[in-house]
Amino acid sequence: MYRGSDADIAELRRQQAEFKKAERANSRENAWMAVPALAPVAAVMGLEGAAYIAGRLAPAVAQRAPLVLHRADPNLRVGDNWATRAGRRAHGALRERVAQKPGWDPEPTVPLKDGRILRPDVRTPSRVRTPGKEPEPFQMELKPNTPTGRAAAARAVKKYETTGVKTRQIYYDPKSFI
């Protein structure tokens, strides 16, 4: 261990104090450089902190306040999706077109002999199609132009055979009613 004079030790301590003062001055002068370096970390920590707080508060809020809908959803029926809404729009458009034709009946009631009631989408007025034959109406069933819609139309036409009235299927493009 070096044992120097008191003057040497005093000089050493003065130099150390001067160095400390210069170091503090440089730190204050360059403190702004820490902001761009620490900004990404601060942003991530801020977002994580917000998520943590929201996660801690969510159960209390969920237990406290019931779900309140300010406006009722008009399509709350079971099985209600884009296809059924398009079908309702297509049937509405057909109803409007049929209502403009004299004698045509949109959604008529067709009673069967066994007591059941069928409702085709359209029934035309009776008219003579072939000279010498009785006037006969026909009815139409509207279905989407899709594989399942065509299959449903075939089943409907078969079901309407018991009415004795000729039934034909008509199709709509579902994309035009979405």
Side-chain angles (χ1 to χ4, degrees):
M1 176 163 186
Y2 171 75
R3 293 208 177 249
S5 68
D6 289 335
D8 288 342
I9 292 176
E11 178 62 24
L12 181 62
R13 289 198 174 140
R14 187 194 62 73
Q15 287 176 357
Q16 286 176 342
E18 193 66 32
F19 180 75
K20 218 32 141 171
K21 195 189 305 182
E23 190 178 21
R24 282 191 196 113
N26 280 341
S27 293
R28 280 190 210 104
E29 196 175 297
N30 298 326
W32 66 270
M33 288 187 191
V35 173
L38 296 176
V41 174
V44 170
M45 288 178 67
L47 291 174
E48 285 181 358
Y52 175 76
I53 291 169
R56 297 283 290 180
L57 295 177
V61 171
Q63 290 173 356
R64 185 174 53 222
L67 178 63
V68 177
L69 299 175
H70 297 287
R71 190 181 76 186
D73 187 4
N75 302 314
L76 291 177
R77 291 185 249 176
V78 174
D80 189 44
N81 56 31
W82 68 270
T84 56
R85 287 191 290 273
R88 282 196 296 275
R89 287 186 198 109
H91 278 81
L94 179 68
R95 239 180 276 118
E96 288 175 11
R97 286 180 60 197
V98 167
Q100 294 173 358
K101 296 183 177 206
W104 288 54
D105 189 11
E107 296 186 7
T109 302
V110 180
L112 296 177
K113 293 175 185 150
D114 61 0
R116 291 184 300 148
I117 296 176
L118 296 177
R119 293 183 58 118
D121 293 322
V122 176
R123 187 168 191 153
T124 64
S126 299
R127 59 181 197 214
V128 177
R129 299 199 191 286
T130 310
K133 284 185 106 180
E134 259 183 57
E136 61 183 64
F138 72 93
Q139 50 202 22
M140 295 182 266
E141 187 67 24
L142 180 66
K143 297 291 180 192
N145 193 11
T146 61
T148 55
R150 288 189 292 274
R155 286 191 307 272
V157 167
K158 188 174 237 176
K159 179 174 63 175
Y160 288 119
E161 284 176 354
T162 60
T163 63
V165 178
K166 186 175 181 178
T167 306
R168 111 180 180 203
Q169 62 264 24
I170 53 177
Y171 300 108
Y172 68 90
D173 181 18
K175 291 178 184 173
S176 11
F177 291 99
I178 292 178

